[in-house]
Amino acid sequence: SLLTFDEAQTLLHEFGHALHGMLAEGTFPSITGTGVYRDFVELPSQLLENWLTQKEFLDMCAEHYQTGEKIPQQLVDKIVATQQFLSGYLNVCQISFGLLDMAWHSITEPVEQDVIAFERRAFQPAQVLPLVDGTAMSPAFTHIFAGGYAAGYYGYKWAEVLDADAFAYFLEQGIFNRETAELFREHILSKGGSERPEILYERFRGQPATSDAFFERAGLR
């Protein structure tokens, strides 16, 4: 179907959300399927994205549309390398967005200073590059004002830690290992928000999540 890499990544991401809903087992919609804490909902979606850089998976679907040639490992390695390019800066940048989100959603009285001054104070702990005069993130930050991520934007980053740790488990057992997949279905996908996320995750993984796999995947270790 000539999907770009980004389009295929989006397809897997959204299918992860779909599985969370389709495999749900529960009575109350508010705690079933994707009805989970905001910092847990992106685990199934981001987890599936990991398969897209695995040759074993790509050989099942990534073929040259004219010759039928399988995608070369060298090209897959280049894709991984590009994902790690500037990863340190990009991670700090996303942390700064989370800091700005929390700054706006933890105020207890009206903000009397201008928006730019407010957000620059919020960005300061994670600021790497000089800020550009006359620009402001807040007016365009629809995720936290109209996208349902108010005071929860950090959830994307925490979900990356979870999905990297979970995929490390799949790598250990085999990315198509049925028993591992069944554990993920039983303890994560089917349970929704019926129990605390950390309890469900430990039942699947057998231990709490660590950040080791996250830093390794990002090329930061």
Side-chain angles (χ1 to χ4, degrees):
S1 56
L2 299 181
L3 294 178
T4 66
F5 181 83
D6 286 346
E7 289 168 343
Q9 189 174 42
T10 299
L11 176 64
L12 289 177
H13 179 102
E14 302 305 338
F15 187 60
H17 285 310
L19 287 176
H20 209 175
M22 290 187 290
L23 300 178
E25 297 175 1
T27 302
F28 305 103
S30 62
I31 55 172
T32 301
T34 56
V36 300
Y37 287 119
R38 185 62 68 179
D39 57 0
F40 195 58
V41 73
E42 297 295 342
L43 167 59
S45 55
Q46 292 180 185
L47 174 65
L48 288 197
E49 294 180 28
N50 289 279
W51 269 259
L52 201 54
T53 53
Q54 299 300 307
K55 190 70 164 60
E56 187 179 357
F57 169 78
L58 288 169
D59 282 346
M60 299 170 62
C61 57
E63 300 177 351
H64 193 283
Y65 79 106
Q66 292 177 321
T67 66
E69 179 190 1
K70 304 291 185 182
I71 188 169
Q73 181 63 51
Q74 183 181 16
L75 182 55
V76 178
D77 293 339
K78 287 183 178 181
I79 292 172
V80 172
T82 61
Q83 291 179 326
Q84 294 177 344
F85 181 65
L86 291 179
S87 62
Y89 169 70
L90 294 174
N91 273 288
V92 173
C93 186
Q94 193 167 19
I95 289 171
S96 74
F97 295 163
L99 290 173
L100 178 62
D101 171 33
M102 293 303 294
W104 278 120
H105 289 97
S106 60
I107 59 175
T108 57
E109 56 188 35
V111 176
E112 296 183 357
Q113 63 185 155
D114 65 64
V115 169
I116 293 178
F118 180 89
E119 71 173 40
R120 287 195 173 190
R121 189 174 72 236
F123 278 152
Q124 196 279 326
Q127 182 181 341
V128 177
L129 301 177
L131 297 171
V132 178
D133 290 336
T135 62
M137 171 75 176
S138 299
F141 205 171
T142 55
H143 262 74
I144 67 170
F145 291 116
Y149 276 81
Y153 189 80
Y154 73 91
Y156 278 107
K157 188 55 62 185
W158 175 237
E160 283 187 53
V161 173
L162 292 177
D163 90 69
D165 186 76
F167 190 64
Y169 188 46
F170 274 97
L171 286 174
E172 292 172 9
Q173 308 300 320
I175 64 171
F176 293 120
N177 181 274
R178 187 179 184 88
E179 289 73 22
T180 310
E182 288 289 354
L183 286 173
F184 193 74
R185 172 177 179 162
E186 178 184 357
H187 297 300
I188 305 293
L189 297 176
S190 71
K191 292 297 189 294
S194 60
E195 294 186 70
R196 294 283 303 181
E198 62 269 29
I199 294 174
L200 296 176
Y201 188 84
E202 286 188 37
R203 285 182 188 154
F204 154 68
R205 185 70 163 91
Q207 63 186 41
T210 72
S211 59
D212 295 343
F214 166 79
F215 285 117
E216 183 176 345
R217 184 179 63 185
L220 298 175
R221 175 172 293 173

Short mmCIF file of all heavy atoms in Angstrom, two decimals, residues 108-148:
data_model
loop_
_atom_site.label_atom_id
_atom_site.label_comp_id
_atom_site.label_asym_id
_atom_site.label_seq_id
_atom_site.Cartn_x
_atom_site.Cartn_y
_atom_site.Cartn_z
N THR A 108 -3.04 28.76 41.36
CA THR A 108 -4.14 28.88 42.35
C THR A 108 -4.79 30.24 42.33
O THR A 108 -5.76 30.48 43.06
CB THR A 108 -3.60 28.59 43.76
OG1 THR A 108 -2.52 29.49 44.05
CG2 THR A 108 -3.10 27.15 43.86
N GLU A 109 -4.26 31.15 41.53
CA GLU A 109 -4.85 32.48 41.40
C GLU A 109 -4.56 33.00 40.01
O GLU A 109 -3.66 32.49 39.32
CB GLU A 109 -4.29 33.42 42.47
CG GLU A 109 -2.78 33.53 42.47
CD GLU A 109 -2.26 34.32 43.65
OE1 GLU A 109 -2.86 34.23 44.74
OE2 GLU A 109 -1.25 35.02 43.48
N PRO A 110 -5.29 34.01 39.54
CA PRO A 110 -5.09 34.51 38.17
C PRO A 110 -3.64 34.92 37.91
O PRO A 110 -2.97 35.48 38.79
CB PRO A 110 -6.03 35.72 38.11
CG PRO A 110 -7.09 35.42 39.10
CD PRO A 110 -6.40 34.70 40.23
N VAL A 111 -3.16 34.64 36.70
CA VAL A 111 -1.81 35.02 36.29
C VAL A 111 -1.85 36.45 35.77
O VAL A 111 -2.56 36.74 34.81
CB VAL A 111 -1.28 34.07 35.21
CG1 VAL A 111 0.10 34.53 34.73
CG2 VAL A 111 -1.20 32.65 35.74
N GLU A 112 -1.08 37.31 36.39
CA GLU A 112 -1.12 38.71 36.01
C GLU A 112 0.02 39.09 35.07
O GLU A 112 -0.04 40.11 34.40
CB GLU A 112 -1.07 39.59 37.27
CG GLU A 112 -2.30 39.39 38.17
CD GLU A 112 -2.29 40.31 39.38
OE1 GLU A 112 -1.29 41.05 39.55
OE2 GLU A 112 -3.29 40.29 40.13
N GLN A 113 1.08 38.27 34.99
CA GLN A 113 2.16 38.56 34.06
C GLN A 113 1.79 38.05 32.67
O GLN A 113 0.84 37.28 32.50
CB GLN A 113 3.46 37.90 34.53
CG GLN A 113 3.39 36.40 34.59
CD GLN A 113 4.64 35.79 35.18
OE1 GLN A 113 4.62 34.70 35.72
NE2 GLN A 113 5.77 36.46 35.09
N ASP A 114 2.51 38.49 31.64
CA ASP A 114 2.15 38.07 30.29
C ASP A 114 2.52 36.60 30.07
O ASP A 114 3.33 36.02 30.80
CB ASP A 114 2.80 38.97 29.22
CG ASP A 114 4.31 38.88 29.22
OD1 ASP A 114 4.85 37.80 28.94
OD2 ASP A 114 4.97 39.91 29.51
N VAL A 115 1.92 36.02 29.05
CA VAL A 115 2.06 34.59 28.77
C VAL A 115 3.52 34.21 28.53
O VAL A 115 3.99 33.17 29.03
CB VAL A 115 1.19 34.20 27.56
CG1 VAL A 115 1.52 32.78 27.10
CG2 VAL A 115 -0.28 34.30 27.91
N ILE A 116 4.24 35.01 27.76
CA ILE A 116 5.62 34.67 27.42
C ILE A 116 6.48 34.61 28.67
O ILE A 116 7.28 33.67 28.86
CB ILE A 116 6.19 35.67 26.40
CG1 ILE A 116 5.46 35.53 25.06
CG2 ILE A 116 7.70 35.46 26.22
CD1 ILE A 116 5.92 36.51 24.00
N ALA A 117 6.33 35.57 29.57
CA ALA A 117 7.12 35.57 30.81
C ALA A 117 6.77 34.36 31.67
O ALA A 117 7.65 33.73 32.27
CB ALA A 117 6.86 36.86 31.58
N PHE A 118 5.49 34.00 31.71
CA PHE A 118 5.05 32.86 32.51
C PHE A 118 5.68 31.56 32.00
O PHE A 118 6.22 30.77 32.77
CB PHE A 118 3.52 32.75 32.47
CG PHE A 118 2.96 31.60 33.25
CD1 PHE A 118 2.64 31.74 34.59
CD2 PHE A 118 2.76 30.36 32.66
CE1 PHE A 118 2.13 30.67 35.33
CE2 PHE A 118 2.26 29.29 33.37
CZ PHE A 118 1.94 29.45 34.71
N GLU A 119 5.60 31.36 30.67
CA GLU A 119 6.10 30.09 30.15
C GLU A 119 7.62 30.03 30.15
O GLU A 119 8.20 28.95 30.29
CB GLU A 119 5.53 29.78 28.77
CG GLU A 119 6.02 30.60 27.62
CD GLU A 119 5.50 30.06 26.29
OE1 GLU A 119 4.34 29.63 26.21
OE2 GLU A 119 6.29 30.07 25.32
N ARG A 120 8.29 31.14 30.05
CA ARG A 120 9.75 31.11 30.11
C ARG A 120 10.22 30.71 31.50
O ARG A 120 11.23 30.02 31.64
CB ARG A 120 10.32 32.48 29.72
CG ARG A 120 10.20 32.75 28.22
CD ARG A 120 11.06 33.89 27.76
NE ARG A 120 11.03 33.99 26.30
CZ ARG A 120 11.81 34.77 25.58
NH1 ARG A 120 12.72 35.52 26.18
NH2 ARG A 120 11.72 34.80 24.27
N ARG A 121 9.49 31.13 32.51
CA ARG A 121 9.83 30.71 33.87
C ARG A 121 9.61 29.21 34.02
O ARG A 121 10.38 28.51 34.67
CB ARG A 121 9.01 31.48 34.89
CG ARG A 121 9.47 31.25 36.33
CD ARG A 121 8.73 32.12 37.32
NE ARG A 121 7.36 31.69 37.49
CZ ARG A 121 6.31 32.47 37.31
NH1 ARG A 121 6.49 33.74 36.94
NH2 ARG A 121 5.09 32.02 37.49
N ALA A 122 8.54 28.69 33.40
CA ALA A 122 8.25 27.25 33.47
C ALA A 122 9.29 26.44 32.70
O ALA A 122 9.71 25.36 33.13
CB ALA A 122 6.86 26.98 32.91
N PHE A 123 9.74 26.96 31.55
CA PHE A 123 10.71 26.25 30.71
C PHE A 123 12.12 26.23 31.31
O PHE A 123 12.92 25.35 30.98
CB PHE A 123 10.81 26.91 29.34
CG PHE A 123 9.72 26.50 28.38
CD1 PHE A 123 9.32 27.38 27.37
CD2 PHE A 123 9.13 25.26 28.44
CE1 PHE A 123 8.33 27.01 26.47
CE2 PHE A 123 8.14 24.88 27.54
CZ PHE A 123 7.74 25.77 26.55
N GLN A 124 12.42 27.18 32.16
CA GLN A 124 13.80 27.42 32.59
C GLN A 124 14.57 26.18 33.06
O GLN A 124 15.72 25.97 32.66
CB GLN A 124 13.80 28.52 33.66
CG GLN A 124 15.16 29.14 33.92
CD GLN A 124 16.05 28.33 34.83
OE1 GLN A 124 15.53 27.67 35.76
NE2 GLN A 124 17.36 28.33 34.60
N PRO A 125 13.98 25.29 33.88
CA PRO A 125 14.76 24.12 34.35
C PRO A 125 15.21 23.19 33.23
O PRO A 125 16.17 22.42 33.42
CB PRO A 125 13.78 23.41 35.29
CG PRO A 125 12.81 24.47 35.71
CD PRO A 125 12.66 25.35 34.51
N ALA A 126 14.54 23.23 32.08
CA ALA A 126 14.89 22.31 30.99
C ALA A 126 15.31 23.05 29.73
O ALA A 126 15.38 22.46 28.65
CB ALA A 126 13.70 21.39 30.67
N GLN A 127 15.61 24.34 29.86
CA GLN A 127 15.98 25.12 28.68
C GLN A 127 17.39 24.79 28.23
O GLN A 127 18.33 24.83 29.02
CB GLN A 127 15.86 26.62 29.00
CG GLN A 127 16.18 27.51 27.80
CD GLN A 127 16.09 28.99 28.15
OE1 GLN A 127 15.46 29.36 29.14
NE2 GLN A 127 16.73 29.83 27.36
N VAL A 128 17.54 24.45 26.94
CA VAL A 128 18.84 24.11 26.37
C VAL A 128 19.29 25.18 25.38
O VAL A 128 20.41 25.67 25.44
CB VAL A 128 18.79 22.74 25.67
CG1 VAL A 128 20.13 22.42 25.01
CG2 VAL A 128 18.42 21.64 26.66
N LEU A 129 18.40 25.54 24.46
CA LEU A 129 18.72 26.53 23.43
C LEU A 129 18.08 27.87 23.78
O LEU A 129 17.06 27.91 24.49
CB LEU A 129 18.21 26.06 22.07
CG LEU A 129 18.78 24.72 21.56
CD1 LEU A 129 18.14 24.35 20.23
CD2 LEU A 129 20.29 24.81 21.41
N PRO A 130 18.62 28.97 23.28
CA PRO A 130 18.02 30.28 23.54
C PRO A 130 16.60 30.35 22.97
O PRO A 130 16.31 29.79 21.90
CB PRO A 130 18.95 31.25 22.79
CG PRO A 130 20.23 30.51 22.62
CD PRO A 130 19.86 29.07 22.48
N LEU A 131 15.71 31.00 23.71
CA LEU A 131 14.34 31.16 23.24
C LEU A 131 14.27 32.29 22.21
O LEU A 131 15.04 33.24 22.26
CB LEU A 131 13.41 31.47 24.42
CG LEU A 131 13.32 30.36 25.47
CD1 LEU A 131 12.56 30.83 26.70
CD2 LEU A 131 12.65 29.13 24.87
N VAL A 132 13.35 32.16 21.27
CA VAL A 132 13.21 33.14 20.19
C VAL A 132 12.22 34.21 20.64
O VAL A 132 11.09 33.89 21.03
CB VAL A 132 12.73 32.47 18.90
CG1 VAL A 132 12.55 33.51 17.79
CG2 VAL A 132 13.71 31.40 18.46
N ASP A 133 12.63 35.46 20.57
CA ASP A 133 11.74 36.55 20.97
C ASP A 133 10.48 36.58 20.13
O ASP A 133 10.50 36.33 18.92
CB ASP A 133 12.46 37.90 20.83
CG ASP A 133 13.57 38.07 21.87
OD1 ASP A 133 13.48 37.41 22.93
OD2 ASP A 133 14.51 38.84 21.61
N GLY A 134 9.37 36.86 20.78
CA GLY A 134 8.10 36.98 20.08
C GLY A 134 7.38 35.67 19.83
O GLY A 134 6.33 35.65 19.19
N THR A 135 7.93 34.56 20.32
CA THR A 135 7.27 33.26 20.15
C THR A 135 6.72 32.78 21.48
O THR A 135 7.23 33.13 22.55
CB THR A 135 8.25 32.20 19.61
OG1 THR A 135 9.32 32.01 20.56
CG2 THR A 135 8.85 32.65 18.28
N ALA A 136 5.66 31.99 21.40
CA ALA A 136 5.05 31.44 22.61
C ALA A 136 4.46 30.09 22.29
O ALA A 136 3.77 29.91 21.28
CB ALA A 136 3.97 32.38 23.15
N MET A 137 4.70 29.13 23.16
CA MET A 137 4.19 27.77 23.00
C MET A 137 2.74 27.67 23.48
O MET A 137 1.92 26.98 22.88
CB MET A 137 5.07 26.81 23.80
CG MET A 137 4.56 25.39 23.92
SD MET A 137 4.79 24.46 22.39
CE MET A 137 4.22 22.84 22.92
N SER A 138 2.43 28.34 24.54
CA SER A 138 1.14 28.16 25.23
C SER A 138 -0.09 28.33 24.34
O SER A 138 -1.00 27.50 24.39
CB SER A 138 1.06 29.10 26.44
OG SER A 138 2.08 28.81 27.37
N PRO A 139 -0.18 29.40 23.51
CA PRO A 139 -1.39 29.56 22.71
C PRO A 139 -1.64 28.45 21.71
O PRO A 139 -2.77 28.27 21.24
CB PRO A 139 -1.14 30.91 22.00
CG PRO A 139 -0.16 31.63 22.85
CD PRO A 139 0.73 30.55 23.38
N ALA A 140 -0.58 27.70 21.37
CA ALA A 140 -0.73 26.61 20.39
C ALA A 140 -0.69 25.23 21.04
O ALA A 140 -0.75 24.22 20.35
CB ALA A 140 0.38 26.71 19.34
N PHE A 141 -0.62 25.18 22.37
CA PHE A 141 -0.48 23.91 23.08
C PHE A 141 -1.85 23.28 23.28
O PHE A 141 -2.37 23.15 24.39
CB PHE A 141 0.21 24.16 24.43
CG PHE A 141 0.94 22.97 24.99
CD1 PHE A 141 1.76 23.11 26.11
CD2 PHE A 141 0.84 21.70 24.42
CE1 PHE A 141 2.44 22.03 26.65
CE2 PHE A 141 1.52 20.61 24.94
CZ PHE A 141 2.32 20.78 26.06
N THR A 142 -2.46 22.85 22.17
CA THR A 142 -3.84 22.35 22.22
C THR A 142 -3.98 21.07 23.03
O THR A 142 -5.06 20.78 23.55
CB THR A 142 -4.37 22.11 20.80
OG1 THR A 142 -3.48 21.22 20.10
CG2 THR A 142 -4.47 23.42 20.03
N HIS A 143 -2.90 20.30 23.16
CA HIS A 143 -2.97 19.06 23.93
C HIS A 143 -3.46 19.32 25.35
O HIS A 143 -4.23 18.52 25.91
CB HIS A 143 -1.59 18.38 23.99
CG HIS A 143 -1.40 17.29 23.00
ND1 HIS A 143 -1.21 17.54 21.67
CD2 HIS A 143 -1.38 15.95 23.13
CE1 HIS A 143 -1.07 16.40 21.02
NE2 HIS A 143 -1.17 15.41 21.88
N ILE A 144 -2.99 20.41 25.95
CA ILE A 144 -3.30 20.63 27.36
C ILE A 144 -4.49 21.54 27.58
O ILE A 144 -4.99 21.65 28.71
CB ILE A 144 -2.07 21.18 28.12
CG1 ILE A 144 -1.71 22.59 27.64
CG2 ILE A 144 -0.89 20.25 27.96
CD1 ILE A 144 -0.67 23.29 28.52
N PHE A 145 -4.97 22.19 26.53
CA PHE A 145 -6.12 23.08 26.70
C PHE A 145 -7.38 22.56 25.99
O PHE A 145 -8.48 22.94 26.34
CB PHE A 145 -5.78 24.49 26.20
CG PHE A 145 -4.78 25.20 27.07
CD1 PHE A 145 -3.54 25.55 26.57
CD2 PHE A 145 -5.08 25.50 28.39
CE1 PHE A 145 -2.61 26.20 27.38
CE2 PHE A 145 -4.16 26.15 29.20
CZ PHE A 145 -2.92 26.51 28.70
N ALA A 146 -7.21 21.71 25.00
CA ALA A 146 -8.39 21.20 24.29
C ALA A 146 -8.24 19.73 23.91
O ALA A 146 -9.12 19.18 23.25
CB ALA A 146 -8.64 22.03 23.02
N GLY A 147 -7.15 19.09 24.34
CA GLY A 147 -6.89 17.73 23.91
C GLY A 147 -6.97 16.69 25.00
O GLY A 147 -6.62 15.52 24.78
N GLY A 148 -7.40 17.07 26.18
CA GLY A 148 -7.59 16.10 27.25
C GLY A 148 -6.35 15.74 28.04
O GLY A 148 -6.39 14.83 28.86
#
